[in-house]
Amino acid sequence: MPIFRFSFQKTKNLKYLYATRLTRELSNQLMFFFLPIYFFKLRFPFMSYFGLSPLKEGIFNVAIVYLLTYLVSFLSGILIAKILLKHGIKNGFLMGNLFYCLFILCLYFSVDNPYLVLTAAVIDGLQINFFWNSYYYYLSKNSSETKIGANLGFINFLLNLLSMVAPALGGLIVASLGFKTLFLLSLVIILGGVIFSLLLDDIKVKDKISFKEFFTWLKEPGFRRLSLSFAGRYFNDASINLWALYMFILLGSTKAVGYFYSLSLFLALFVSYAAGSFIDKNKGHKQFFISGSFLSFFWILRSFAVNIWSITVLNAADKLTASYHWLFFDRSWILRGKGREALSYFVYREMIYSFTAIIFWLVVAALFYFFVTAWQSLFVIAAVGVLLTLLIKEHKDAEVQI
């Protein structure tokens, strides 16, 4: 069928970039979906002094870990950007993957010493800036303007292919062998990402990045609008993490969570493959607005999901719609990062993402502490977040515009 035949770019650097991302994502997908469950089940000795119920204590554990992660990410953004400027983007990939290895090692040993999760959170906050700012900069620099959608579509197709297997496998490993084995396997896999990152050609960047410039950009109406769309994206992504925890509480099994999430991703697989090429050729916002409206509505429906089949149908419908929506969104904001201030753009975007995360997890902690309808309130926040992503606009030229 013609719709499934699109041409993504296959340059040497992009092939290694795809391999780096996929290796990392396989490691990530095995455990990432279950990390909120792991944090939820941890017991920090100091938490016993607050006399919280098991549910509240578990949610506070999750919130504390992610708060620390993104606080470190926000505060280290400018410093790490200056390291990238000095040592090159290739070293950013290398450092990002090495820090990710340390992050997983800390998780491995945290099974016996829960406080190492806090060390892992600090390391995770650092690797976020090293890897993702390098990744998006490299992708934008090596992708032509007319092929970004196709390149993202190809990557997302392979990511969904991995995601069909990884959550189910991860859930099976946790249920039968425990979290230690899961972390060990993830560590072995991420070492492949270190190898692929060494094969990338280096890019030296000329840019000036500072908190002063960051706040100057925030004064621009166009960048504030873009920032709101980034914030909305994080509301959705973080709520997806907590949705996994919600399913675990409802179903009572990590194995079941993994199986049913993998099933829903299978249905979205070919939509991801075809959507990228379609977006490159059809840049109208109509489908984007429709898909965003549906995704927002699906978050509201999650409040009524009370059994296995309603969860599976919702997951499948969400993934089918999300495949198009997030490809359009990602293509739009990455395309705006092609130009002379590209690294500044991606660094400031990550800082906004991290600052939003800090606000989000503070709100989550407050919701579960004060309100009995915390889950429903969380789903409403996620629904609003998706609607905020509709603020994204695509500039006609390839320069960074704020």
Side-chain angles (χ1 to χ4, degrees):
M1 294 176 63
I3 192 170
F4 292 110
R5 292 201 299 265
F6 67 92
S7 179
F8 58 91
Q9 289 177 274
K10 310 177 188 69
T11 64
K12 185 197 77 169
N13 280 321
L14 281 176
K15 286 179 180 178
Y16 289 137
L17 185 68
Y18 300 151
T20 301
R21 174 70 192 278
L22 291 171
T23 306
R24 180 186 173 90
E25 200 64 23
L26 176 57
S27 173
N28 189 47
Q29 285 288 341
L30 277 172
M31 62 176 187
F32 186 73
F33 199 66
F34 301 99
L35 281 182
I37 298 172
Y38 177 66
F39 299 149
F40 180 83
K41 294 169 72 174
L42 279 178
R43 288 297 174 258
F44 294 115
F46 71 86
M47 291 295 288
S48 61
Y49 293 107
F50 298 99
L52 301 172
S53 68
L55 173 63
K56 288 183 178 180
E57 183 176 339
I59 293 294
F60 270 51
N61 289 346
V62 176
I64 288 170
V65 173
Y66 285 117
L67 267 172
L68 182 56
T69 296
Y70 286 102
L71 180 62
V72 171
S73 176
F74 178 77
L75 294 177
S76 66
I78 300 295
L79 175 62
I80 290 176
K82 291 181 178 180
I83 294 174
L84 295 178
L85 289 172
K86 183 176 180 179
H87 296 287
I89 297 299
K90 179 178 179 178
N91 286 319
F93 279 109
L94 183 60
M95 292 300 294
N97 282 321
L98 288 175
F99 271 107
Y100 200 70
C101 289
L102 288 175
F103 165 68
I104 298 174
L105 268 177
C106 286
L107 290 178
Y108 176 83
F109 289 112
S110 72
V111 174
D112 300 314
N113 183 358
Y115 284 116
L116 281 174
V117 165
L118 303 179
T119 304
V122 172
I123 295 171
D124 193 24
L126 296 174
Q127 71 84 20
I128 284 172
N129 287 312
F130 274 117
F131 184 85
W132 289 112
N133 291 332
S134 300
Y135 173 78
Y136 288 121
Y137 183 86
Y138 210 90
L139 178 64
S140 69
K141 284 297 181 184
N142 285 276
S143 297
S144 69
E145 184 176 344
T146 58
K147 292 291 185 180
I148 284 183
N151 292 343
L152 287 170
F154 173 68
I155 293 171
N156 283 6
F157 172 78
L158 295 178
L159 294 180
N160 279 337
L161 193 62
L162 290 177
S163 299
M164 283 170 49
V165 179
L169 178 60
L172 182 62
I173 291 172
V174 170
S176 56
L177 301 173
F179 277 100
K180 263 197 168 183
T181 303
L182 181 70
F183 296 145
L184 188 61
L185 178 59
S186 296
L187 177 62
V188 172
I189 293 171
I190 196 60
L191 291 174
V194 175
I195 295 171
F196 285 122
S197 63
L198 290 172
L199 298 173
L200 292 165
D201 291 338
D202 197 12
I203 300 178
K204 292 293 184 180
V205 188
K206 292 183 179 180
D207 204 342
K208 292 183 179 180
I209 301 173
S210 65
F211 275 104
K212 181 179 179 181
E213 184 183 60
F214 174 60
F215 290 118
T216 299
W217 282 36
L218 285 175
K219 293 177 182 177
E220 298 291 334
F223 192 70
R224 286 203 301 269
R225 178 189 177 105
L226 187 62
S227 298
L228 284 174
S229 71
F230 292 151
R233 176 64 187 266
Y234 185 81
F235 288 162
N236 176 84
D237 292 353
S239 298
I240 287 290
N241 284 352
L242 286 174
W243 172 243
L245 180 58
Y246 180 81
M247 287 193 291
F248 170 74
I249 293 171
L250 197 63
L251 303 176
S253 166
T254 54
K255 187 189 299 185
V257 171
Y259 284 161
F260 284 102
Y261 193 72
S262 290
L263 175 62
S264 66
L265 286 170
F266 175 78
L267 299 175
L269 181 65
F270 292 102
V271 176
S272 282
Y273 186 79
S277 182
F278 176 80
I279 290 168
D280 280 330
K281 297 174 183 177
N282 303 274
K283 300 175 184 177
H285 275 67
K286 182 178 179 181
Q287 296 90 344
F288 178 62
F289 275 91
I290 292 173
S291 62
S293 299
F294 273 113
L295 285 177
S296 183
F297 180 61
F298 292 154
W299 274 116
I300 302 301
L301 289 182
R302 279 174 165 88
S303 301
F304 304 97
V306 293
N307 57 51
I308 288 175
W309 294 112
S310 59
I311 287 175
T312 302
V313 170
L314 262 176
N315 280 345
D318 178 86
K319 288 299 174 185
L320 283 168
T321 311
S323 294
Y324 179 89
H325 184 81
W326 298 124
L327 267 175
F328 189 103
F329 180 83
D330 288 342
R331 181 189 183 277
S332 297
W333 76 261
I334 292 174
L335 184 60
R336 290 178 63 150
K338 292 182 71 68
R340 51 190 168 75
E341 294 183 293
L343 187 59
S344 293
Y345 173 76
F346 291 122
V347 169
Y348 300 153
R349 176 259 175 193
E350 194 63 57
M351 289 175 67
I352 291 165
Y353 207 66
S354 296
F355 184 77
T356 303
I358 294 168
I359 301 301
F360 177 86
W361 290 107
L362 286 173
V363 169
V364 166
L367 283 176
F368 280 90
Y369 188 80
F370 291 109
F371 301 102
V372 294
T373 57
W375 286 112
Q376 291 80 3
S377 301
L378 177 67
F379 298 153
V380 170
I381 290 173
V384 173
V386 174
L387 294 178
L388 286 175
T389 66
L390 299 179
L391 294 172
I392 193 79
K393 283 188 175 181
E394 180 181 308
H395 282 287
K396 294 181 180 180
D397 56 34
E399 288 294 311
V400 170
Q401 297 199 25
I402 60 174

